[in-house]
């Protein structure tokens, strides 16, 4: 199987629930976002392009694209970044990571990875989210794990469960009967930087 996402850009309202839910579920350190909601519009977040009344704006949630042909995996010298053979999820082994950031340099999707330069700091003094989330470490690269701890328990990623507009779909892209495969087959879509040859597993429905 090959897990992936479809995001309906017509239904996404830019509420950032998926981004905040990701932070909570994965107990992310201060200043770290694995999922960001970018604005396809003006120069700043949540601003339209154009001059009133001729304005346009839409939202583009961006996280690790869990590529079928990931550039990050190819350059990691220690195998800390790897593709799970059973699900196609691009994973990160914190204990193996040496902090070289080769994966960050190779990834064409700017900003989907973060690096812990210092010991992770948190807003509150106790862990939140799932108890199964690996502890965040100093001098390692982090990114969206597709909520691997939830997948291991047969659950869907937190961002899918929390989206109030049901703009996000997830499942096995190789199963034609899965919801995500059906919606991709029935709609026009785009992918980020397809010319890079990474074959991302995130489809943006237009």
């Amino acid at each position: 199987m090959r897990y992936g996402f479809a995001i309906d850009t017509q239904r996404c309202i830019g509420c950032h629930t998926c981004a905040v839910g990701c932070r909570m579920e994965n107990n992310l350190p201060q200043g770290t976002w694995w999922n960001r909601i970018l604005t396809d519009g003006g120069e700043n977040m949540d601003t339209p392009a154009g001059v009133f009344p001729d304005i346009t704006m839409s939202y583009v949630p961006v996280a690790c694209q869990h590529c079928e042909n990931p550039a990050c995996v190819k350059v990691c010298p220690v195998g800390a970044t790897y593709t799970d053979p059973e699900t196609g999820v691009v994973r990160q082994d914190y204990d193996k990571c040496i902090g070289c950031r080769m994966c960050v340099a190779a990834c064409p999707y700017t900003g989907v990875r973060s690096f812990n330069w210092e010991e992770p700091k948190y807003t509150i003094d106790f862990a939140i989210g799932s108890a199964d989330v690996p502890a965040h470490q100093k001098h390692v690269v982090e990114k969206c794990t597709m909520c691997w701890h939830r997948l291991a328990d047969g659950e869907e990623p937190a961002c899918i469960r929390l989206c109030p507009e049901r703009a996000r779909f997830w499942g096995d892209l190789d199963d034609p009967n899965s919801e995500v495969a059906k919606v991709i087959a029935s709609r026009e879509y785009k992918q980020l930087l397809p010319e890079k040859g990474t074959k991302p597993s995130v489809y943006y429905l237009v």
Side-chain angles (χ1 to χ4, degrees):
M1 67 180 69
R2 181 168 63 93
Y3 286 144
F5 296 96
I7 301 174
D8 191 335
T9 59
Q10 294 186 25
R11 299 188 70 172
C12 178
I13 59 174
C15 66
H16 301 267
T17 301
C18 57
V20 174
C22 170
R23 292 200 78 240
M24 297 292 290
E25 176 70 23
N26 292 283
N27 191 34
L28 297 187
Q30 287 182 3
T32 299
W33 295 86
W34 287 354
N35 187 14
R36 298 171 299 135
I37 313 305
L38 304 184
T39 306
D40 186 6
E43 295 181 0
N44 300 309
M45 182 183 292
D46 297 326
T47 59
V51 178
F52 184 82
D54 298 318
I55 57 176
T56 60
M57 183 171 69
S58 61
Y59 298 98
V60 184
V62 177
C64 174
Q65 301 292 292
H66 293 282
C67 304
E68 188 176 357
N69 182 33
C72 56
V73 171
K74 295 177 181 179
V75 300
C76 181
V78 294
T81 300
Y82 66 100
T83 302
D84 178 69
E86 295 184 1
T87 63
V89 176
V90 177
R91 300 188 60 190
Q92 190 83 12
D93 188 329
Y94 299 157
D95 292 330
K96 287 184 178 180
C97 181
I98 60 174
C100 69
R101 304 185 298 284
M102 291 289 290
C103 57
V104 178
C107 177
Y109 306 104
T110 304
V112 301
R113 281 175 166 77
S114 59
F115 183 71
N116 295 330
W117 291 96
E118 302 294 340
E119 198 66 39
K121 296 181 176 63
Y122 301 90
T123 304
I124 53 180
D125 58 2
F126 58 87
I128 59 174
S130 173
D132 296 325
V133 172
H136 302 281
Q137 302 177 27
K138 178 181 178 180
H139 290 167
V140 301
V141 175
E142 296 188 344
K143 68 174 193 64
C144 163
T145 65
M146 206 182 283
C147 284
W148 180 257
H149 59 286
R150 294 177 60 85
L151 303 189
D153 288 336
E155 299 179 356
E156 61 190 8
C159 61
I160 300 297
R161 178 173 59 88
L162 295 171
C163 179
E165 293 300 309
R166 297 296 181 260
R168 302 176 72 98
F169 303 86
W170 169 86
D172 184 3
L173 298 173
D174 289 339
D175 179 3
N177 294 316
S178 69
E179 182 181 27
V180 68
K182 287 181 178 178
V183 73
I184 291 171
S186 65
R187 295 273 299 275
E188 291 187 17
Y189 62 82
K190 62 182 179 181
Q191 292 177 288
L192 300 182
L193 305 178
E195 68 276 10
K196 297 296 183 179
T198 57
K199 298 182 180 179
S201 295
V202 180
Y203 295 76
Y204 294 87
L205 308 176
V206 297

